[in-house]
Amino acid sequence: MAQPQSARERIRSLINKFKSYRDREDLDNISEVSLLDGSFDLNESEFENEDDSSEWWLGMDYSNSYKCSHNNVDKPFKDHIDRSVFPRMPWHDVGAAMEGSVAKDLARHFIQRWNFAKKNKHPYNTTYEYLLPHSYNLDYPSVLTSNSPCDVQVLRSLSKWSGGIHPHERSIYNAYMDAIYNAEHFIYIENQYFISNNEISSGGDLIWNNISMAIYNRIVRAYDEKKSFKVYIVMPLLPGFKVTTRHMLMYYISKTIRRGKTSLWHKLSQRIGDPTPYISFNGLRNYAELNGKLLTEVVYVHSKVMVVDDRQLFIGSANINDRSLKGTRDSEIVCRIEDSVFVDGVINSEKVKVGKFVSTLRKSLMAEHLGFPLDSRKLLDPASNDFYRDVWLGVASNNTDIYEKVFKCMPSDAVKALTKSRPTEKGHHCHWSKAISMMLKSCWIRCRVTLLYFHCYFFATSPSITLQFTPKKLTCLSVYLLKIIYCIYLITIFKVLYIFSKIFNQI
């Protein structure tokens, strides 16, 4: 009688199937093989006792954008970083499956973009056919094993270059602004970026969108009305790009949040005093063992989610920046979801009806970051001062202190200037003896994916960091370099013409 396969053996069997069909000439046959036929369903507990978990991540899947960019993408099964030295960067993302009329709307959007690309890129290539929508009179059976009925609106950022429409559409931005303005109790945001303008936008502004200004106005209104209102923002502790791009993004993010007189934090401080009771910026970290050492890495928040009052949810591809929201740049899609089924909930210590789907998703995200079980009663009321101050901020503060003491992480609010270096250890590794000692003294964090404070004071007192990272200066430098290259190009052409003219004269 055959012995049941272990989790590792089943994963390796799956990888071997993928490898056997990874060549381009075999792609047409991959549909004949049932890669996910049910035999690879794994429980989380099956991984806990497995050694060398890095083997779960094949080739480029074991990546860390802080250490190495994604080069040679045509070689997906080749390692790009040293697994024995660098940890894999963990990611946090959120997605949703939908069916019904909203799925038809999403299909129409896909068909519109496909046909536009076909018309402009391959109008006479019969390999890529134009698409036509299926009949709208057919009712399909549900394919989702667990679902919740909701009212869904599809929002887009689309323009002439990306979808062939004129004028452009920026319904994502308009819906975000409307939801923030009409929020009553709290806003929970997870996003890859938070780059926005805190002043009324004018034509010459580098940043166009006013998401942060809408948050500012809503908090000020709550302050004037003496009402409780909370804003939770979870984002990556560092942008995950090349160094120069990362510096530019850090500059814009810090300028939006706390750096300078036009920052959200500074404007709130001038208007209401300490903004801490109203708004919190947080990031995520993880820790693990690698070759006998305890190490940590940033959890890269890639989700684009906004929950409003446990009744409204935005989920999709749009970041909080001009590239996603302006409509004339990247094409994006977001679903605005409102529950049609409501359950008992608590908001500001009062019993209310909240959306079943939206509130469940919000609680599951907070439970993951805080290390609480999903059914914890502490997660019921995100608008209360007790949860916000004692639970959310309390856990974030405790986790931040522990990571600082154990790993001396970067970025860190402890490093306020370029001249101030981290003492003792370099990097994010820690010997087990020291880690165990710190765990015993500090009561180790509840879970692997842990909530931390965002580093709002990182390089806060270094004037040179602003000059070094200012995008205007980088743009000017790029222009000068292009001019130099253009001059060299012209000189080369003139030299070639001169040589040819001498040859012709001799003939």
Side-chain angles (χ1 to χ4, degrees):
M1 184 175 179
Q3 295 293 324
Q5 288 184 315
S6 67
R8 183 181 298 280
E9 290 171 339
R10 281 187 282 166
I11 287 292
R12 282 177 175 165
S13 176
L14 176 62
I15 289 173
N16 289 334
K17 280 191 175 183
F18 268 112
K19 281 185 174 181
S20 66
Y21 286 89
R22 70 174 183 253
D23 297 328
R24 182 172 296 275
E25 57 267 20
D26 292 328
L27 288 178
D28 292 338
N29 300 324
I30 196 169
S31 60
E32 301 174 7
V33 179
S34 176
L35 293 176
L36 299 176
D37 56 5
S39 61
F40 295 104
D41 293 336
L42 301 174
N43 297 319
E44 186 175 352
S45 59
E46 295 187 68
F47 291 88
E48 293 179 354
N49 297 324
E50 295 285 350
D51 297 327
D52 194 10
S53 61
S54 69
E55 291 188 17
W56 302 122
W57 312 104
L58 187 67
M60 288 188 68
D61 283 344
Y62 192 94
S63 63
N64 189 320
S65 57
Y66 297 151
K67 313 300 181 186
C68 178
S69 300
H70 292 288
N71 300 318
N72 300 322
V73 294
D74 58 325
K75 300 177 181 177
F77 296 99
K78 180 181 178 181
D79 284 356
H80 287 228
I81 61 175
D82 188 346
R83 295 170 181 253
S84 64
V85 177
F86 300 114
R88 176 185 177 272
M89 177 188 287
W91 276 49
H92 169 74
D93 219 330
V94 181
M98 302 180 188
E99 60 184 10
S101 58
V102 62
K104 296 175 183 177
D105 288 342
L106 293 169
R108 289 185 65 186
H109 172 71
F110 175 82
I111 292 170
Q112 178 183 5
R113 295 211 57 206
W114 174 278
N115 289 342
F116 177 74
K118 157 72 176 172
K119 178 182 176 182
N120 285 274
K121 301 293 184 181
H122 301 285
Y124 305 111
N125 190 333
T126 57
T127 304
Y128 306 101
E129 297 290 346
Y130 286 103
L131 300 179
L132 293 175
H134 289 282
S135 171
Y136 282 86
N137 297 321
L138 298 177
D139 292 326
Y140 296 96
S142 175
V143 296
L144 300 180
T145 57
S146 177
N147 56 41
S148 180
C150 299
D151 296 323
V152 184
Q153 178 188 14
V154 178
L155 310 168
R156 305 189 300 180
S157 288
L158 203 66
S159 63
K160 187 175 181 179
W161 78 267
S162 58
I165 66 170
H166 183 76
H168 61 272
E169 178 182 340
R170 51 169 176 251
S171 54
I172 298 175
Y173 175 72
N174 295 336
Y176 262 66
M177 295 291 284
D178 176 75
I180 293 170
Y181 177 82
N182 291 296
E184 296 181 8
H185 305 290
F186 78 93
I187 298 171
Y188 176 82
I189 294 174
E190 288 186 3
N191 208 279
Q192 187 179 359
Y193 303 113
F194 190 73
I195 299 175
S196 184
N197 193 345
N198 295 299
E199 304 284 346
I200 297 176
S201 298
S202 62
D205 290 334
L206 286 175
I207 307 299
W208 171 84
N209 80 84
N210 287 135
I211 295 294
S212 60
M213 185 176 178
I215 293 174
Y216 165 83
N217 290 332
R218 184 60 191 89
I219 291 176
V220 168
R221 192 166 88 236
Y223 173 81
D224 292 339
E225 295 173 355
K226 294 180 171 52
K227 293 182 178 179
S228 175
F229 188 80
K230 311 299 179 190
V231 180
Y232 303 84
I233 299 178
V234 179
M235 55 192 295
L237 294 172
L238 271 179
F241 287 91
K242 294 180 180 179
V243 174
T244 304
T245 306
R246 190 185 309 157
H247 290 171
M248 294 177 67
L249 291 171
M250 288 171 62
Y251 169 83
Y252 276 125
I253 291 170
S254 62
K255 185 177 179 182
T256 301
I257 297 175
R258 196 181 288 231
R259 192 179 187 88
K261 294 182 179 180
T262 61
S263 67
L264 176 59
W265 201 269
H266 180 82
K267 291 187 66 177
L268 284 172
S269 299
Q270 296 294 108
R271 180 65 171 79
I272 68 173
D274 182 14
T276 304
Y278 293 92
I279 186 169
S280 171
F281 292 91
N282 301 93
L284 304 174
R285 269 195 177 274
N286 202 339
Y287 71 95
E289 180 190 0
L290 182 64
N291 291 332
K293 288 186 177 181
L294 192 67
L295 54 82
T296 180
E297 186 54 276
V298 171
V299 176
Y300 195 74
V301 179
H302 193 256
S303 49
K304 299 94 169 59
V305 170
M306 183 169 77
V307 177
V308 180
D309 298 333
D310 271 355
R311 299 176 72 93
Q312 190 172 181
L313 167 68
F314 292 80
I315 184 169
S317 66
N319 293 308
I320 297 179
N321 59 12
D322 284 2
R323 183 171 175 175
S324 289
L325 299 177
K326 200 169 184 178
T328 56
R329 300 185 184 178
D330 276 6
S331 58
E332 306 285 4
I333 194 163
V334 167
C335 287
R336 181 178 189 169
I337 302 171
E338 294 185 358
D339 271 290
S340 55
V341 176
F342 297 91
V343 295
D344 293 333
V346 181
I347 297 290
N348 278 333
S349 303
E350 296 182 3
K351 293 183 178 181
V352 297
K353 292 291 184 180
V354 297
K356 178 183 177 181
F357 174 74
V358 177
S359 64
T360 301
L361 177 62
R362 190 268 308 163
K363 286 188 286 186
S364 67
L365 292 172
M366 286 187 164
E368 176 186 321
H369 304 333
L370 295 169
F372 293 165
L374 183 58
D375 57 356
S376 173
R377 295 190 60 83
K378 294 181 179 180
L379 301 170
L380 290 177
D381 189 359
S384 70
N385 290 324
D386 290 340
F387 171 82
Y388 178 77
R389 180 186 61 246
D390 300 335
V391 178
W392 186 264
L393 297 185
V395 170
S397 176
N398 182 59
N399 291 343
T400 303
D401 289 342
I402 294 174
Y403 270 101
E404 281 287 322
K405 293 173 182 176
V406 175
F407 297 104
K408 293 182 168 54
C409 304
M410 290 285 280
S412 168
D413 282 344
V415 181
K416 295 182 172 61
L418 285 170
T419 55
K420 184 175 181 180
S421 60
R422 301 292 279 174
T424 61
E425 293 182 272
K426 296 181 179 179
H428 306 314
H429 292 74
C430 176
H431 290 290
W432 276 109
S433 57
K434 179 182 177 182
I436 293 173
S437 175
M438 292 304 305
M439 290 181 208
L440 293 175
K441 292 180 180 178
S442 304
C443 298
W444 189 236
I445 47 189
R446 295 173 177 268
C447 59
R448 292 277 176 119
V449 181
T450 50
L451 185 76
L452 304 177
Y453 278 133
F454 189 79
H455 47 276
C456 292
Y457 294 103
F458 183 51
F459 285 150
T461 61
S462 288
S464 58
I465 203 76
T466 306
L467 297 176
Q468 183 180 353
F469 297 159
T470 299
K472 287 183 179 180
K473 292 184 176 291
L474 291 173
T475 303
C476 292
L477 179 60
S478 300
V479 171
Y480 288 134
L481 289 174
L482 286 174
K483 287 182 178 180
I484 293 172
I485 294 171
Y486 183 66
C487 290
I488 295 173
Y489 172 73
L490 290 177
I491 292 170
T492 304
I493 291 177
F494 285 131
K495 283 186 175 181
V496 171
L497 292 174
Y498 175 74
I499 293 171
F500 273 112
S501 65
K502 290 189 68 176
I503 293 173
F504 284 124
N505 288 334
Q506 292 176 357
I507 295 174

